């Protein structure tokens, strides 16, 4: 009886973190345009990958599985893909951090 | 736009801060600009012709200290003294601009938009309107500081 509520809350929290993550990515992109700061390019790409692309992939894969368009046996493949994208996104952010540290602003 | 209002009884006039040019302590930057400069500081700053030139020029486009020194016709060290005080008072913002050789120039942008003085009901009120700091610029600055 509590399970559906938990599902809805989990989905809402996932959507919320995607929205906030994309907002930060968007501000990083604007920072890139306004300040010509190359570090912001990788920060923006990392945030969008980490929050936007993985969220989209998770939602789409769950939908495909729920409507039996793809076999449930592919669930782990999708999980692997999401994890890999998270790894790439975080690596981009780490790289951006090193870029920013390499060009101290004053 | 943020509006900050301060109200205070008329203070005794503070000694001119340009004597403070002698004190190297004024050259240091506080990372967070004073949110509300007092009236004496404001008026003292605006009393200076070069300060007004700096504010006017940087309200149109971000400018470096050397470009401002050319516009004011004074040495860069004299410009830096004024820039430091303006940044400390929160009337000017520091930004960085990358150069083709990979280094950065520090440029300055006017934050002061409007300064209003109202004498009424036995009190002196003043309002400082600042242009909004952009979230994207703040993020860029913070990320560079990590």
């Amino acid at each position: 009886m509590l399970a559906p509520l938990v599902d809805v809350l989990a989905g809402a929290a996932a959507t919320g973190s995607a929205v906030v993550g994309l907002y930060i990515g968007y501000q990083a992109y604007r920072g890139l345009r306004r300040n010509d700061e190359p570090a912001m390019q990788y920060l923006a790409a990392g945030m969008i990958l980490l929050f936007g692309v993985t969220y989209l992939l998770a939602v789409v894969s769950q939908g495909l599985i729920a409507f039996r368009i793809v076999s449930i046996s592919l669930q782990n493949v999708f999980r692997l893909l999401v994890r890999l994208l998270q790894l790439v996104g975080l690596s981009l952010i780490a790289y951006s951090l090193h870029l920013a540290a390499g060009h101290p602003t004053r | 736009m943020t509006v900050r209002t301060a109200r205070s009884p008329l203070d005794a006039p503070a000694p001119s801060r340009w004597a403070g040019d002698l004190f190297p302590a004024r050259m240091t930057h506080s990372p967070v600009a004073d949110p509300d400069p007092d009236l004496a500081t404001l008026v003292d700053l605006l009393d200076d012709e070069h300060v007004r030139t700096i504010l006017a020029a940087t309200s149109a486009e971000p400018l470096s200290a050397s470009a401002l020194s050319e516009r004011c016709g004074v040495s860069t060290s004299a410009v830096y003294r004024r820039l430091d005080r303006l940044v400390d008072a929160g009337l000017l913002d520091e930004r960085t601009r990358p150069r083709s050789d990979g280094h950065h120039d520090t440029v300055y942008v006017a934050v002061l938009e409007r300064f209003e003085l109202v004498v009424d009901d036995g009190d002196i009120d003043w309002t400082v309107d600042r242009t909004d700091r952009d979230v994207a610029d703040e993020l860029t600055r913070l990320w560079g500081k990590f």
Side-chain angles (χ1 to χ4, degrees):
Chain A
M1 145 138 196
L2 209 62
L5 179 66
V6 170
D7 279 351
V8 167
L9 284 179
T15 307
S17 59
V19 167
V20 175
L22 284 175
Y23 170 74
I24 299 175
Y26 168 67
Q27 293 298 351
Y29 174 73
R30 286 187 59 231
L32 164 73
R33 299 300 299 269
R34 288 170 63 95
N35 298 293
D36 266 337
E37 178 60 63
M40 302 314 272
Q41 189 177 347
Y42 293 95
L43 178 60
M47 294 301 280
I48 289 164
L49 217 54
L50 190 55
F51 291 99
V53 178
T54 55
Y55 174 77
L56 203 68
L57 185 62
V59 168
V60 167
S61 66
Q62 272 175 25
L64 289 179
I65 289 166
F67 291 101
R68 319 247 163 147
I69 296 165
V70 299
S71 154
I72 194 154
S73 61
L74 283 176
Q75 195 167 30
N76 282 332
V77 176
F78 281 121
R79 275 203 191 124
L80 174 67
L81 268 178
V82 167
R83 291 292 174 203
L84 283 177
L85 285 171
Q86 282 176 343
L87 181 65
V88 173
L90 277 174
S91 303
L92 284 174
I93 293 173
Y95 179 62
S96 158
L97 203 52
H98 277 270
L99 268 190
H103 302 281
T105 62
R106 189 185 172 92
Chain B
M1 189 199 315
T2 45
V3 178
R4 292 195 178 86
T5 309
R7 171 180 265 256
S8 90
L10 189 56
D11 294 316
S16 168
R17 305 296 169 80
W18 295 116
D21 281 1
L22 296 168
F23 302 125
R26 292 217 68 83
M27 298 288 286
T28 58
H29 277 263
S30 57
V32 179
D34 181 8
D36 244 340
D38 61 42
L39 187 55
T41 307
L42 269 172
V43 173
D44 188 37
L45 271 167
L46 296 172
D47 189 30
D48 185 78
E49 182 196 337
H50 302 313
V51 162
R52 296 195 298 270
T53 308
I54 289 169
L55 284 173
T58 55
S59 70
E61 55 177 332
L63 289 167
S64 66
S66 53
L68 286 166
S69 132
E70 249 171 60
R71 296 223 182 177
C72 295
V74 295
S75 70
T76 42
S77 61
V79 164
Y80 271 120
R81 279 196 293 272
R82 286 161 175 87
L83 291 176
D84 286 343
R85 288 201 56 206
L86 283 165
V87 170
D88 283 346
L91 305 183
L92 204 63
D93 237 4
E94 259 180 10
R95 285 190 200 158
T96 54
R97 190 166 57 188
R99 290 198 309 237
S100 49
D101 62 5
H103 289 87
H104 285 73
D105 279 333
T106 301
V107 290
Y108 296 87
V109 184
V111 177
L112 175 67
E113 201 170 69
R114 187 185 165 90
F115 168 51
E116 193 180 35
L117 187 74
V118 178
V119 184
D120 189 31
D121 274 344
D123 257 323
I124 291 189
D125 280 7
W126 71 95
T127 314
V128 176
D129 292 2
R130 292 173 169 87
T131 53
D132 266 339
R133 288 185 179 201
D134 195 276
V135 179
D137 294 337
E138 292 298 296
L139 179 64
T140 309
R141 203 175 51 81
L142 275 176
W143 197 244
K145 273 195 177 170
F146 265 124

